[in-house]
Amino acid sequence: MLVSPPSLPLALAGEPADGFAGWAAGLVDTLGGPGAGLAIALENLFPPLPSEVILPLTGFAAGQGVLSLASALFWTTLGSVVGAVALYWIGALFGRERMHALWARLPLVKVSDLERTERWFARHGTKAVFLGRMVPIFRSLISVPAGVERMPLPVFVLLTALGSLLWNSVLVMAGYWLGDRWDLVEGYVGVVSKAVLVLVLVALAAFLAVRLRGRGKGAARHGAGHGRGRDAARHEAEDPRGRGQHRRTP
């Protein structure tokens, strides 16, 4: 068992005492490694909680002797796995049938869109789960489709643990080496998170624009077809001889 060495609390070392950073620091002060793991598990379940604060702060705590570096990496990775597995089971309990039923009610999407996504996940799901653990925003979201598609749980846990260990190690070590400047990590990772969010929004806007344009063209063609049908019917009504001629047999 990894035991945190006794030390002065982070608050005495000049760490934040309020806000989210203060809450995370309090957890690490009180519970050591398990507190950091709990914070990261909650971050997976509630993505607005920023891992770019929790992980560097935990690394700084390790540098201050509040817990060991090995304990910091172990507990934060375990917390990532626990949070991801909880989301996996949410997706699994929701299931493919409910997903298809919900998808069918959404505007501007087609069942074929979901089917293509499922085929893509079947081919690339392992890479998506592993690499997704290192991409802000998608760190949490990727667990749900893995559950919906019932990726084998041992495979999911292994990929999640490896991806989380890499991501957590980078941010924990950054906080460990930066010392009391650990908050610099939040700024850099925050820029990446915003860039990912902007790319997602741009892709979504492009998808909606294409789908709306296609729906508009389809409606125009449908209307034109009805118009030609009405014109033909009116022409026949106005020219009974033409109708009679059509009925004659040569």
Side-chain angles (χ1 to χ4, degrees):
M1 180 177 177
L2 298 173
V3 180
S4 303
S7 178
L8 293 176
L10 287 179
L12 296 182
E15 275 306 291
D18 54 7
F20 177 75
W23 171 79
L27 275 179
V28 177
D29 285 341
T30 304
L31 302 176
L38 175 61
I40 286 296
L42 293 174
E43 180 265 337
N44 277 263
L45 293 171
F46 306 101
L49 299 179
S51 63
E52 59 266 28
V53 171
I54 301 169
L55 293 170
L57 180 59
T58 302
F60 175 67
Q64 294 292 302
V66 175
L67 71 167
S68 69
L69 191 57
S71 177
L73 294 175
F74 172 80
W75 286 105
T76 55
T77 301
L78 180 61
S80 296
V81 172
V82 169
V85 168
L87 291 174
Y88 172 96
W89 281 113
I90 290 174
L93 292 173
F94 191 75
R96 291 183 72 251
E97 291 184 3
R98 288 193 183 94
M99 177 62 73
H100 277 265
L102 175 63
W103 193 269
R105 296 190 184 98
L106 297 176
L108 301 178
V109 296
K110 303 175 182 177
V111 173
S112 59
D113 295 331
L114 180 57
E115 291 172 345
R116 279 196 299 271
T117 302
E118 289 178 330
R119 288 194 296 270
W120 180 91
F121 196 87
R123 292 194 300 270
H124 307 289
T126 53
K127 294 190 289 289
V129 169
F130 175 70
L131 297 174
R133 301 304 307 170
M134 294 172 270
V135 180
I137 299 175
F138 288 99
R139 285 168 42 76
S140 297
L141 299 180
I142 195 61
S143 301
V144 177
V148 170
E149 295 300 321
R150 289 301 183 113
M151 173 181 282
L153 186 58
V155 174
F156 175 78
V157 169
L158 177 62
L159 293 170
T160 298
L162 292 175
S164 298
L165 179 60
L166 286 175
W167 171 260
N168 294 354
S169 295
V170 169
L171 297 191
V172 168
M173 293 303 300
Y176 183 84
W177 289 111
L178 285 171
D180 58 6
R181 294 181 298 157
W182 63 270
D183 56 335
L184 292 176
V185 180
E186 179 186 1
Y188 287 111
V189 178
V191 170
V192 176
S193 300
K194 290 182 178 65
V196 171
L197 180 59
V198 168
L199 289 175
V200 170
L201 293 176
V202 168
L204 180 60
F207 170 81
L208 293 176
V210 170
R211 189 53 54 85
L212 286 170
R213 188 180 299 118
R215 177 168 290 191
K217 289 180 179 178
R221 286 195 297 268
H222 187 66
H226 274 293
R228 285 194 296 271
R230 286 194 300 269
D231 290 343
R234 187 165 54 249
H235 178 70
E236 288 185 358
E238 293 172 353
D239 187 6
R241 289 178 302 173
R243 270 203 318 277
Q245 289 172 355
H246 283 297
R247 293 195 189 97
R248 292 175 188 170
T249 57

